[in-house]
Amino acid sequence: MLYALIAIVLLFVNALCAYFMKQSAVMKGYGEDSHIWAICFWCGLFGYLYVISLPDKIQQNQNQQIIELLSKRKED
């Protein structure tokens, strides 16, 4: 009985951590309907490391816009 309760608590904590990692991926520019939650839930720590290693799409787009604006300014 105690082991079942511990397992349920661990699954709940894992699901909660996977949810927060999904929110982190959304803030990095990945869609709401991404596969991140499932990867984090089923792979655990390796899924969390996967999300951490994802590149930040929003920052990449901002950097690209800055480069384009600077190159246009240099041409003028």
Side-chain angles (χ1 to χ4, degrees), residues 2-19 37-38 40-44 48:
L2 180 63
Y3 293 120
L5 183 61
I6 291 172
I8 290 171
V9 169
L10 288 177
L11 283 175
F12 178 74
V13 169
N14 191 25
L16 189 64
C17 290
Y19 171 76
W37 187 89
C40 289
F41 182 77
W42 293 111
C43 296
Y48 306 148

Side-chain angles (χ1 to χ4, degrees), residues 4-72:
L5 183 61
I6 291 172
I8 290 171
V9 169
L10 288 177
L11 283 175
F12 178 74
V13 169
N14 191 25
L16 189 64
C17 290
Y19 171 76
F20 286 125
M21 293 307 283
K22 179 181 180 269
Q23 294 301 331
S24 174
V26 168
M27 289 192 308
K28 285 184 170 191
Y30 295 88
E32 280 286 331
D33 57 340
S34 65
H35 57 281
I36 301 297
W37 187 89
I39 287 178
C40 289
F41 182 77
W42 293 111
C43 296
L45 180 63
F46 295 112
Y48 306 148
L49 292 174
Y50 169 72
V51 173
I52 291 169
S53 68
L54 287 174
D56 191 344
K57 288 184 176 181
I58 295 172
Q59 186 177 14
Q60 285 180 348
N61 289 337
Q62 290 172 347
N63 289 342
Q64 187 61 35
Q65 289 175 351
I66 290 170
I67 291 170
E68 289 171 3
L69 290 173
L70 288 174
S71 65
K72 284 182 184 179

